[in-house]
Amino acid sequence: RNLSASGPRPNPQGSYHYGMINTTRTIRLANSAPIIDGKQRYAVNGVSFIPADTPLKLADYFKIRGIFTLGSIPDNPTGGGAYLQTSVMAADFRAYVEIVFENAEDTVQSWHIDGHNCFIVGMDGGQWSPDSRSSYNLRDTVSRSTVQVYPMSWTAVYIPLDNVGMWNVRSENWARQYLGQQLYLRVYSPANSWRDEYPIPSNALLCGRALGHKT
């Protein structure tokens, strides 16, 4: 694969093979269907997403406090009680991340990752563990932005975080997405360079607590 620049490869300007790059982080995302405050909700790692009053990208761009908190969703299932939160996970630009989608329910789950493609390296029934990596396909898998997870199973992907921004990771089941089975992945570069991300256009429509800010 050749992404010209910005990828997590030894040579930033060249092509690379997905199975030859060391991952820098493992994220496990487990879906669930909790009852919160007497109502059916859906959650990821025990956190059921609720929308903020301001688009998260605008809040991040203008550094508006009190709209979201980085790290408001854990990297792994906790086994604790579910709760409501505007869940945003921090991630580093050019990281090469292993994400394991875990499904302990009896229906097929479908997940979409905005802004990126990922390499589907493994899937199996039961509980994922580090030993599961021995079955990964590191030679000739496919690159996609949507993946499925069978009931009582897991699916693992490798993803190069080569796109700065605030990206939605969500269930493709609209009812589950609407009721909380989603989160945002904030891919951050401290360079703040046009090379990595274009600025918001000067004629962009602003809303929420971003009203009054200058682009």
Side-chain angles (χ1 to χ4, degrees), residues 133-161:
R133 296 185 178 116
S134 64
S135 66
Y136 282 5
N137 174 7
L138 300 181
R139 292 179 60 87
D140 58 359
T141 191
V142 296
S143 175
R144 302 182 61 185
S145 59
T146 302
V147 301
Q148 283 69 48
V149 192
Y150 290 106
M152 311 301 293
S153 301
W154 56 267
T155 296
V157 305
Y158 284 176
I159 177 170
L161 298 181

Side-chain angles (χ1 to χ4, degrees), residues 70-212:
L70 291 174
S72 49
I73 180 171
D75 279 19
N76 299 283
T78 63
Y83 57 94
L84 304 174
Q85 182 68 266
T86 303
S87 41
V88 180
M89 183 178 289
D92 294 328
F93 180 47
R94 293 181 178 165
Y96 194 57
V97 177
E98 173 188 41
I99 299 180
V100 182
F101 295 98
E102 302 181 2
N103 179 19
E105 299 184 66
D106 59 4
T107 57
V108 175
Q109 300 294 316
S110 184
W111 288 88
H112 180 79
I113 304 172
D114 274 351
H116 297 81
N117 285 337
C118 61
F119 300 97
I120 304 172
V121 295
M123 57 175 59
D124 202 355
Q127 179 66 46
W128 181 89
S129 74
D131 292 338
S132 302
R133 296 185 178 116
S134 64
S135 66
Y136 282 5
N137 174 7
L138 300 181
R139 292 179 60 87
D140 58 359
T141 191
V142 296
S143 175
R144 302 182 61 185
S145 59
T146 302
V147 301
Q148 283 69 48
V149 192
Y150 290 106
M152 311 301 293
S153 301
W154 56 267
T155 296
V157 305
Y158 284 176
I159 177 170
L161 298 181
D162 49 23
N163 198 0
V164 173
M166 184 76 72
W167 302 108
N168 192 226
V169 181
R170 62 180 179 271
S171 170
E172 286 290 81
N173 179 306
W174 289 102
R176 296 184 73 105
Q177 178 193 143
Y178 180 75
L179 292 175
Q181 191 175 316
Q182 60 174 299
L183 66 134
Y184 277 82
L185 189 67
R186 187 230 195 189
V187 180
Y188 176 72
S189 169
N192 192 27
S193 168
W194 284 23
R195 177 197 62 187
D196 303 330
E197 183 183 30
Y198 284 133
I200 292 177
S202 59
N203 62 348
L205 298 177
L206 305 182
C207 60
R209 282 186 258 175
L211 284 173

